[in-house]
Amino acid sequence: MCGIIGIVANGPVNQMLFDGLTLLQHRGQDAAGILTCESDRLFLRKENGLVKDVFHTRHMRQLHGHMGIGHVRYPTAGCDSSAEAQPFYVNAPFGIALGHNGNLTNVDELRASVQKTDHRHINTNSDSEVLLNVFAHELSAVAGDEPKVEDVFSAISGVHRRAKGAYAVIGLIAGRGIFAFRDPWGIRPVCYGQRKHESGKTEYMIASESVAIEASDFELVRDLAPGEAIFISPEGEVSFKQCAEHSQYTPCIFEFVYLARPDSIIDDVSVYRARMRMGEKLAAKILREWPDHDIDVVIPIPDTSRTAALEIAFNLNLKYREGFVKNRYIARTFIMPGQEMRKRSVRQKLNAIDLEFRGKNVLLVDDSIVRGTTSSEIIRMAREAGANKVYLASAAPPVRYPNVYGIDMPTANEFVAHDRDVEQIRAAIGADYLIYQDLDDLIESVRAGNPSLKSFDCSCFTGDYITGDIDQNYLDLLSSRRSDHSKNPTSQKSRDIVAVGLYNVQ
């Protein structure tokens, strides 16, 4: 749950990177970083916080150069120290910086190999730093005094051979250019766009989602294919290569359910249209399984569920109403570390409009139900606002299994659907009726936008991990490292001590 961006332009890129990261802020609210390059000098600013809080005017003025990369982070691996904000940097070979969205499932094995075999030092707990050092070692093994594009692609092939899991990567080699690549399964998204500068030179942007490209006045060209890499020189020369020996399109379906912005297009699928179809499918299930329902009004739990809720109301011929007012200055509760913080933030984030609930049977619609904290609090709020009955519909199936590919769903024990059937879940969250989307309908809702997508990563619903390297021992280890208990602030080291790295613009 991170966002990456890279730009090669005909003028300063600092403001464009800032704007692009702001458009990707929904993907990570823990930390932000920008690294730029002028000639062969690198300039870095990264820190904990939102984009608007990390970068002030004094920082922006020091981020010189016509190419650069940026990152917004939520810590699914490592800890929340500012030392683990990205991009990361190594000085050899050539000076390389890298940012990463995803999660390496063999990070312990890789870390040992990097330190003992490659003789490189790892200074944080972040799998992104490990990934950077793997790439740096592979590049040093094939490049001479001056790295060629073929050398960069060869190094990326080496990364694919060694790394397992999900990763969308943006990187920069000082003075030589920007590169990006996607894991062989295409689990995490990355795309690129271009635009003509008034000088006639073409400028390029790479980003996690198309919204950052199109809202920055670039034209979306396409997504990178699974295993594919792109390299853009400072002069705007673009090269592509398939760097994985075996690749298969299996994008993460939860991007379409929750993570991505509705105005993004991922792998040629409109997220907005996919969510519309989720609403249509769920309405059909309600009519099929509950034809004599007594719903008076459909109310979305903002913001992600609005599109599906509108289609449910339309297809059921019911009123659609906005029953909750959202405080825009509270972070997304799903990605907040710690159950108590999420619980407190629900009431800070949402306030009910009593007149939309009083005396009515309301159908609340959410994009998904993970831990159940938000759902139970909102159901309680609806009752306090005077609702007669409170029903809940989820646009996604029950989340029963950990996600190991970069989404913070670390341990099954924290899921409300763990070891419960639908009736037990309904009782646990306090709803009068509960209905979930069927997995086949969810898949079809997304695939309808791009029929060439044959399969998806649905592991959080099915427990089927497509990379084939996940067993119970790994899940137990992940749970111990990333559960809510492990994120207790009292267990964290001081954030005042910063790890050694590239000089940070102050």
Side-chain angles (χ1 to χ4, degrees):
M1 295 187 330
C2 299
I4 60 173
I5 190 170
I7 300 175
V8 175
N10 198 49
V13 296
N14 51 356
Q15 188 64 50
M16 285 188 286
L17 289 167
F18 176 93
D19 294 341
L21 287 182
T22 301
L23 291 161
L24 296 174
Q25 185 75 85
H26 60 286
R27 299 189 67 88
Q29 301 170 353
D30 179 74
I34 290 176
L35 179 140
T36 60
C37 181
E38 183 179 50
S39 184
D40 59 352
R41 291 197 63 190
L42 302 178
F43 304 87
L44 172 69
R45 168 64 182 173
K46 62 179 184 176
E47 185 56 85
N48 285 339
L50 301 175
V51 174
K52 66 181 180 63
D53 298 322
V54 170
F55 304 102
H56 301 157
T57 301
R58 66 181 186 276
H59 305 129
M60 299 296 288
R61 287 173 175 167
Q62 298 180 70
L63 293 170
H64 308 291
H66 293 187
M67 68 177 183
I69 62 176
H71 188 272
V72 286
R73 177 181 184 267
Y74 177 78
T76 54
C79 70
D80 63 354
S81 166
S82 60
E84 298 194 6
Q86 298 181 40
F88 282 104
Y89 165 80
V90 290
N91 68 340
F94 314 115
I96 305 170
L98 180 146
H100 157 229
N101 171 213
N103 185 56
L104 302 183
T105 55
N106 66 334
V107 65
D108 291 339
E109 171 191 331
L110 272 180
R111 181 179 286 108
S113 172
V114 165
Q115 293 179 321
K116 295 178 181 178
T117 305
D118 300 349
H119 306 296
R120 303 184 70 90
H121 178 66
I122 303 297
N123 205 50
T124 71
N125 294 322
S126 173
D127 60 342
S128 303
E129 188 189 11
V130 174
L131 187 64
L132 168 60
N133 277 274
V134 171
F135 173 80
H137 175 78
E138 296 295 326
L139 184 60
S140 66
V142 297
D145 294 335
E146 185 65 27
K148 301 179 178 63
V149 175
E150 294 78 11
D151 298 330
V152 175
F153 289 150
S154 178
I156 293 170
S157 295
V159 172
H160 288 323
R161 287 191 295 270
R162 296 176 63 181
K164 296 179 181 179
Y167 46 91
V169 175
I170 189 77
L172 183 150
I173 304 175
R176 278 83 173 186
I178 285 177
F179 62 90
F181 57 94
R182 195 176 184 186
D183 68 74
W185 301 92
I187 299 172
R188 300 264 72 85
V190 61
C191 56
Y192 83 98
Q194 64 185 28
R195 71 179 180 187
K196 283 286 187 181
H197 189 263
E198 58 186 18
S199 66
K201 177 182 176 181
T202 302
E203 301 177 316
Y204 295 92
M205 177 185 288
I206 302 165
S208 292
E209 294 183 34
S210 64
V211 62
I213 291 172
E214 294 176 327
S216 300
D217 202 28
F218 283 71
E219 176 188 358
L220 175 66
V221 177
R222 64 177 177 87
D223 298 86
L224 293 187
E228 186 181 22
I230 181 175
F231 183 86
I232 307 171
S233 73
E235 295 74 35
E237 297 172 354
V238 184
S239 303
F240 301 91
K241 187 173 183 180
Q242 174 54 253
C243 296
E245 295 178 2
H246 306 285
S247 62
Q248 176 183 324
Y249 242 126
T250 317
C252 173
I253 205 163
F254 212 75
E255 291 278 354
F256 300 92
V257 171
Y258 175 81
L259 290 182
R261 276 181 46 150
D263 44 349
S264 284
I265 296 173
I266 297 177
D267 294 318
D268 292 328
V269 178
S270 163
V271 176
Y272 174 75
R273 291 286 185 179
R275 290 176 184 168
M276 285 182 66
R277 290 187 288 268
M278 291 175 204
E280 293 169 2
K281 299 282 189 182
L282 195 49
K285 183 176 181 180
I286 292 171
L287 290 174
R288 185 172 63 250
E289 296 192 357
W290 193 18
D292 57 344
H293 69 80
D294 57 352
I295 303 167
D296 295 319
V297 62
V298 177
I299 295 177
I301 298 174
D303 283 318
T304 322
S305 65
R306 279 197 173 102
T307 309
L310 272 166
E311 289 302 305
I312 291 174
F314 177 79
N315 283 273
L316 296 181
N317 195 28
L318 293 170
K319 294 178 181 179
Y320 170 92
R321 291 291 186 267
E322 292 285 344
F324 296 102
V325 176
K326 184 175 182 180
N327 181 349
R328 302 288 177 183
Y329 305 100
I330 298 294
R332 301 176 89 174
T333 51
F334 167 72
I335 63 174
M336 282 186 172
Q339 187 83 334
E340 286 305 313
M341 185 180 295
R342 281 188 294 270
K343 191 172 182 178
R344 288 197 307 271
S345 294
V346 170
R347 297 219 171 214
Q348 295 173 355
K349 183 175 72 171
L350 297 176
N351 188 51
I353 301 174
D354 289 7
L355 63 87
E356 296 295 353
F357 292 91
R358 194 174 299 119
K360 299 176 183 177
N361 298 335
V362 299
L363 176 65
L364 303 179
V365 180
D366 210 348
D367 52 82
S368 59
I369 304 170
V370 183
R371 295 170 176 88
T373 309
T374 299
S375 301
S376 59
E377 284 296 311
I378 289 176
I379 289 169
R380 189 176 294 112
M381 290 170 63
R383 294 194 190 283
E384 291 172 359
N388 181 35
K389 293 182 179 178
V390 182
Y391 310 129
L392 180 62
S394 168
V399 174
R400 301 187 187 276
Y401 303 93
N403 184 288
V404 302
Y405 300 127
I407 302 177
D408 190 35
M409 298 178 183
T411 171
N413 291 329
E414 294 178 2
F415 303 149
V416 70
H418 177 64
D419 282 345
R420 291 188 175 108
D421 59 25
V422 174
E423 174 58 25
Q424 291 170 325
I425 300 168
R426 180 205 64 75
I429 62 177
D432 292 299
Y433 187 86
L434 173 63
I435 189 164
Y436 280 99
Q437 185 86 266
D438 291 335
L439 181 58
D440 288 344
D441 284 345
L442 174 62
I443 292 172
E444 183 54 35
S445 296
V446 180
R447 182 185 288 141
N450 181 1
S452 67
L453 295 175
K454 303 302 181 185
S455 59
F456 297 88
D457 167 46
C458 302
S459 54
C460 59
F461 307 123
T462 65
D464 180 17
Y465 297 99
I466 58 175
T467 54
D469 59 332
I470 306 302
D471 57 21
Q472 190 58 48
N473 289 335
Y474 178 85
L475 295 177
D476 291 342
L477 179 64
L478 193 72
S479 175
S480 67
R481 290 177 175 176
R482 287 168 46 190
S483 67
D484 276 347
H485 174 73
S486 70
K487 293 175 183 175
N488 189 320
T490 61
S491 69
Q492 298 289 353
K493 296 180 180 179
S494 170
R495 294 165 69 132
D496 297 331
I497 305 301
V498 179
V500 174
L502 181 65
Y503 176 75
N504 195 17
V505 172
Q506 298 296 325

